[in-house]
Every structure is written in C-alpha cells, then in structure tokens.
Amino acid sequence: MHRTWPDKSARRWSTSLVLIALLLGFSFTTSNFLHAEDSKLSAEKRSQIEVVISKFMSANSVPGIAAALVGNGEFAWSEGFGMADLENFVPVTPHTLFRLASVSKPITATAAMQLWQRGKLDLDAPVQKYCPAFPKKEWPVTTREVLGHLAGIRHYRSDSQEDPEVGNTKHFDDPIQSGLDFFKNDPLIEKPGTKFHYSTQGFTVAGCVIEGASGEKYTAFVGENILAPAAMKHTLVDDRYILIPYRTRFYKKDKSGAVANADFLDPIYKIPGGGWLSSADDMARFEVAILNDTLVKRATRDAMWTPQTPADGTRDEYGLGWGIGKKGDYATVGHSGGQQGTSTFIQIAPDQHAGVVVLINMDGVDASGLGNEILKIALADK
C-alpha cells in the first residue's frame, strides 16, 4: 500500500532530505572546467568562498548552487555545491544547467550590439523597421530605448494571481511572435525616453528586432554569434518538452518554509529576456569573451555599458541590457535574475578584468548578495 505522509511529517521529511542532500552535496563538489589543482584561485580564497557559500546555503535552505570566477580576463575557478535533484540525489556540478531568468538580457543585448557594430541595426530607428509585428504606438519606439528599459513597454501584468505572463504553462512553436502577442496591442505606459520601466516583454521586441536585422531566427543568431565564439557549448533554450542533460530541477519554499518543487513555468515565450539555460562554466566563458573583446569591440562594449539618460532627470544605473554600478572601490556591470525555480547573478569588474557567476536552483534568494561576497574575496589584496 502506498503510504500518504501527514502534512507535518512531510515537512519534517522534506527538511531532513534537504539537510542530508546539502551534506552530501558538499562531499561531491567538483570543478569540471578546471580541476582544483589547476585553479588560478588560491587555496585560501577557495576555502573562504566555500565557507561563505556553505553558510548561505544553510541559512536559506538552498538545494544547489554553481559558482564561477574570472580573474585577469581568464577563467579562474568554478565549483558545484549541493543538489541539482533532491529526490534522486544528483549533485550540482559547474556544468549543471540552471534557468538564467533575466541574466538572459545581457546575452540578447550583446547580440543586438553586434548587429549595430556591423551596420545592420540602427539603434535609434523605430523598431518597426526590423520588427513590423510590433504595431506603431503613439510615439516612436527605438531599439536603444527597448534595451535600456526606456521604451514605455509594460512589464508583466500584475492584476491577477493567475497571470499567464508570470506563470505561463503554454508551449509555443513561434516563441517571438507568441511572446509579442501577450502585449503588442497594449498602449505604452510612458512616453519613450522619459522614465525607466523595467520590461522583460520589451526584450521580446529586441529579439524580434534581431531577427529582422539579421535575417535569422533569434536563437540561431545568438547561437552562431554569441554562444559559439564564446565557447558556450552547453547553453540552450529552456524547452520544457525536450530532454536536456544536466538540467537542474527547480525549487521554492512553500508557505511553511519547507523546500518544495517550484511552480511550473514554460518560459519559451520570453527567451530574449528570460528563457535561456546555462551553466556556471558557460557564463564564465561569456564573461571572458566580453572582457577580451571576443564578442564586440571595446568601443561597442563601452556604448553598451554607458548608463542611459531618462528625460525625467532621474539617475539611471542601466546601460543597454546591463546594470551599471559600483561595489567598494571598483566599477561593475552585470545582471540578476529570478523566476520559478531559479535565482541568478553575473557581475564583471572591467578594470580588474574579473567577474563572478552565481546560479541557484531556488527562487526568491539573494544570488546578487552572495555573488558580491564571492567577488569581494576574489579581489581582496588586488
């Protein structure tokens, strides 16, 4: 007879399972990009980082984390911690695939800037020049404004707990067009260029622009022009209906605080702004490629990393697909992400030629805070 656990027993079992998995996970930490003895990070700093991650996982009941560091423009270190699959006791490794969520946006922005660099995309032309499927609005909308979240395109609707844009379960054969259908006929919420309004939907327009300017499907162009030259061999679309090796399971905390499977999401409708899967190793390769001008020229990178200037006079800390900031004594660029079953963060310190990647298979936890701690340790005494 199948045994049905009472609610309290189930919660205790779930908590025990997480604790056991975390303990086992640390015994299975691996580095598949570089073996520990080949790491460019000192043993002392590796130890400090592992302590920080251990405390973070324990404090937040996190099932699994993959992290990586870039130093001197080269790969420095990566490691997996905890479990990618609690039920089957599968450990996280540096090539475990996590949902990137909004960390997908810098990938899309870099692809758009490649087209601008090649003279195939006018950032200041109306988006309809390349994406006629997005209807004309009261005011012109440009790709520069879309990439900088200044286009006045709304984010997800927030007027319903059953919002299909937040928890979409439908699968679409034409992701870009289907993604546009969620919002394309809605009015702009602000005159473009006036005010910063974060919009994942806007990045679907950017994906459509990339298709029109390149003459290729968005995913094909990104694959050929971002993933291949950066040697991101395992990064791919988060397709919920195909078998993908090394994809993590996705977790959340329920109302009682117990670890549970995350709510179902099919992110196929928002690939440019939140639909890629990647590993810590691959995202470190992305940072290396950006730092070494492999993907775009330095002048193009500088343009992408220049904060935009909203007409309302507010301070903008966002460039074109990248957040701009400062941590301690060093300037930073990067992006965070969060959606069902994932919390993510990438950050680059350009002047130090360094970067960090943190990927977590649970939603609602502070990946950026952990990433900042890790990078601070890596850059200490620099």
Side-chain angles (χ1 to χ4, degrees):
M1 176 183 291
H2 177 72
R3 181 174 182 179
T4 301
W5 289 90
D7 290 344
K8 290 183 180 179
S9 297
R11 286 197 293 270
R12 286 196 296 269
W13 172 253
S14 176
T15 301
S16 298
L17 182 64
V18 172
L19 293 174
I20 293 169
L22 291 179
L23 290 171
L24 286 175
F26 281 108
S27 70
F28 282 111
T29 55
T30 57
S31 180
N32 295 288
F33 192 113
L34 281 177
H35 295 295
E37 60 268 22
D38 299 323
S39 172
K40 296 179 175 63
L41 193 68
S42 70
E44 180 182 1
K45 288 187 176 182
R46 288 203 308 273
S47 177
Q48 291 175 17
I49 290 169
E50 287 168 1
V51 168
V52 166
I53 292 176
S54 176
K55 289 180 178 179
F56 180 90
M57 294 183 74
S58 177
N60 295 281
S61 300
V62 168
I65 293 177
L69 280 168
V70 171
N72 297 318
E74 299 178 346
F75 187 89
W77 166 87
S78 71
E79 202 159 324
F81 302 85
M83 289 288 149
D85 185 335
L86 288 170
E87 292 169 299
N88 293 295
F89 289 88
V90 178
V92 172
T93 75
H95 61 239
T96 297
L97 296 176
F98 295 75
R99 284 177 168 163
L100 289 184
S102 287
V103 171
S104 302
K105 291 179 174 72
I107 293 174
T108 297
T110 305
M113 295 305 287
Q114 283 186 340
L115 290 166
W116 175 74
Q117 180 177 282
R118 298 171 190 175
K120 293 186 176 182
L121 172 58
D122 181 352
L123 291 174
D124 299 306
V127 294
Q128 290 80 14
K129 179 178 180 180
Y130 311 101
C131 180
F134 184 70
K136 291 183 178 180
K137 303 298 180 181
E138 182 179 357
W139 305 282
V141 174
T142 70
T143 303
R144 187 186 302 276
E145 290 164 339
V146 168
L147 294 176
H149 298 291
L150 297 174
I153 297 172
R154 67 170 178 82
H155 193 39
Y156 306 124
R157 288 195 186 280
S158 57
D159 54 359
S160 171
Q161 291 183 346
E162 301 299 325
D163 183 0
E165 295 174 12
V166 174
N168 174 67
T169 61
K170 296 179 182 178
H171 194 75
F172 302 104
D173 293 328
D174 187 344
I176 297 296
Q177 182 58 55
S178 298
L180 289 173
D181 287 344
F182 278 90
F183 66 93
K184 68 181 183 182
N185 293 321
D186 293 347
L188 300 180
I189 60 176
E190 200 87 49
K191 181 179 179 181
T194 302
K195 191 174 182 178
F196 182 92
H197 286 284
Y198 188 84
S199 175
T200 293
Q201 308 289 40
F203 267 71
T204 298
V205 177
C208 182
V209 165
I210 288 170
E211 290 192 340
S214 68
E216 298 183 60
K217 289 292 186 182
Y218 162 80
T219 52
F221 182 83
V222 170
E224 295 164 6
N225 294 276
I226 301 294
L227 308 184
M232 298 167 70
K233 297 180 181 179
H234 305 290
T235 301
L236 71 170
V237 170
D238 185 11
D239 189 329
R240 299 293 287 132
Y241 289 89
I242 63 173
L243 300 177
I244 297 178
Y246 307 115
R247 176 164 51 185
T248 184
R249 293 285 294 269
F250 306 117
Y251 300 100
K252 67 174 183 178
K253 286 185 183 177
D254 65 19
K255 292 181 180 179
S256 72
V259 176
N261 288 314
D263 297 338
F264 184 84
L265 170 72
D266 190 327
I268 202 76
Y269 73 105
K270 57 176 180 178
I271 302 169
W276 288 98
L277 287 171
S278 192
S279 65
D281 281 352
D282 268 16
M283 292 310 297
R285 292 182 176 104
F286 178 64
E287 292 185 340
V288 169
I290 289 287
L291 284 168
N292 290 293
D293 308 324
T294 301
L295 300 178
V296 292
K297 296 177 182 177
R298 184 62 55 92
T300 302
R301 192 188 82 179
D302 290 345
M304 184 168 62
W305 289 352
T306 298
Q308 300 302 289
T309 52
D312 67 356
T314 56
R315 181 182 178 185
D316 198 344
E317 296 183 343
Y318 203 89
L320 301 178
W322 294 77
I324 315 296
K326 188 173 184 180
K327 295 296 178 184
D329 297 328
Y330 48 89
T332 61
V333 296
H335 217 290
S336 61
Q339 61 185 212
Q340 289 88 332
T342 198
S343 300
T344 58
F345 181 65
I346 64 169
Q347 185 166 264
I348 295 173
D351 294 338
Q352 285 70 30
H353 308 288
V356 64
V357 176
V358 172
L359 307 176
I360 304 173
N361 60 2
M362 173 180 277
D363 55 53
V365 293
D366 187 11
S368 59
L370 177 60
N372 285 323
E373 283 193 68
I374 292 172
L375 189 58
K376 182 178 179 180
I377 292 170
L379 292 178
D381 303 320
K382 285 285 184 181

